[in-house]
Amino acid sequence: TDIYRAARLVAHKAHRRLGLSATPIYNYGGEFFHVVDVVAPGCLGEHSEFIREYCTPEPGGKAKLSDPLEFGSYLRREGIMLRRTRKDVQRELPELTKVVHEIAADERVLDTLKSNAVELAKIVLRHNEQFRGEKMQAAGKFDAMMRQATGIAKAPYVIEFVKMLLDSGEPVVLFGWHRAVYAMWLEGLKEFNPVLYTGSESDAQKQETLRAFTAGESRVLIMSLRSGAGVDSLQGCCNTVVFGELDWSPGVHEQCMGRVHRDGQD
């Protein structure tokens, strides 16, 4: 990717390189090569060698680590990766509790998409190689359409669930993805003065959002699933997050929970 090429260019000029992350990889393990190769060029050999030695190729050019535990042991044994748990550095946090709560959904929202969904599904299921590009585009549209529809269908019930938490005195960070869903949450939770922290706000607006929430002027912080990197103030005022919409990668959920489950959380 362009990000990888840019990272390599910057790293090439640096005398010292250090990669820091609580979740170094949360997609296909084969992506580890491109992360490590920027920090320590050549330590895993050529890309083809890495794939042959450590991975199981998948359809579409992706690759999974065939033995993640062994690969992790190799990285630590060779001094390529250093891992320290909170216990190792005497900075343990209160235990993180995850609760999966099933809610209803407004089936009428999904019913309105039925005809479009069927047509897109027919395109995706075509076997003719001639339509490969069209199939990929249709699959993307189908996924996006169904994800947003699911968020909208669940929104009224998410609102009621969050209200239950708020009525018990808990401020809440509410994670989602679609603007249409945010609009419903903002309206349904307006009595609690909800504020937004997504990809659409300016830096100044985001800082004001954090100030209002941490000062208690807002009881609900609506945050995009992939926003908030580097935010370090929520743990002082909140210990409850709700996923009103889910990301396709569980690693994102871990990062989102880490917005409040971090040093300073009591």
Side-chain angles (χ1 to χ4, degrees), residues 8-234:
R8 283 190 66 186
L9 182 64
V10 172
H12 181 69
K13 300 292 185 181
H15 295 295
R16 294 183 176 86
R17 295 182 290 272
L18 177 66
L20 296 171
S21 178
T23 50
I25 297 294
Y26 53 73
N27 293 327
Y28 281 86
E31 296 177 10
F32 234 117
F33 176 86
H34 299 97
V35 174
V36 174
D37 194 55
V38 168
V39 181
C43 69
L44 295 177
E46 297 294 326
H47 185 252
S48 58
E49 295 172 326
F50 166 75
I51 296 296
R52 184 174 64 249
E53 185 73 21
Y54 295 107
C55 298
T56 303
E58 293 279 307
K62 302 287 187 179
K64 289 184 176 180
L65 288 171
S66 50
D67 190 340
L69 293 177
E70 174 56 32
F71 182 66
S73 296
Y74 169 77
L75 293 180
R76 289 189 287 274
R77 189 167 63 247
E78 296 298 313
I80 298 168
M81 183 170 74
L82 178 69
R83 181 174 183 265
R84 288 290 181 266
T85 65
R86 289 185 172 278
K87 185 176 181 180
D88 291 335
V89 294
Q90 287 86 51
R91 285 165 57 188
E92 288 187 270
L93 288 168
E95 186 176 353
L96 175 67
T97 303
K98 304 176 187 178
V99 179
V100 178
H101 183 73
E102 293 189 8
I103 60 173
D106 186 348
E107 298 290 345
R108 293 170 298 178
V109 176
L110 300 176
D111 286 341
T112 60
L113 297 174
K114 189 170 291 182
S115 60
N116 288 337
V118 168
E119 291 306 310
L120 287 171
K122 286 179 179 177
I123 295 173
V124 174
L125 292 173
R126 281 180 182 168
H127 294 294
N128 195 329
E129 190 66 22
Q130 175 184 349
F131 298 101
R132 186 175 182 181
E134 186 182 1
K135 287 166 66 174
M136 291 179 63
Q137 190 175 31
K141 285 183 179 179
F142 182 80
D143 179 63
M145 182 175 69
M146 293 307 296
R147 282 190 70 196
Q148 176 167 298
T150 301
I152 292 172
K154 287 164 55 178
Y157 304 93
V158 170
I159 290 167
E160 292 307 311
F161 180 73
V162 172
K163 279 183 176 180
M164 181 179 69
L165 294 173
L166 294 166
D167 288 341
S168 70
E170 292 283 348
V172 171
V173 180
L174 176 57
F175 287 103
W177 186 250
H178 294 97
R179 304 299 305 183
V181 178
Y182 297 157
M184 296 177 70
W185 291 348
L186 288 169
E187 177 62 26
L189 297 168
K190 60 184 178 183
E191 63 188 282
F192 302 100
N193 191 29
V195 289
L196 281 171
Y197 193 112
T198 71
S200 300
E201 290 76 44
S202 66
D203 288 342
Q205 288 172 320
K206 288 177 178 177
Q207 289 306 311
E208 174 56 23
T209 288
L210 294 177
R211 187 206 64 76
F213 185 67
T214 54
E217 296 171 13
S218 167
R219 301 272 313 284
V220 185
L221 170 59
I222 297 173
M223 181 174 273
S224 171
L225 285 159
R226 302 208 174 201
S227 289
V231 170
D232 186 27
S233 58
L234 303 180

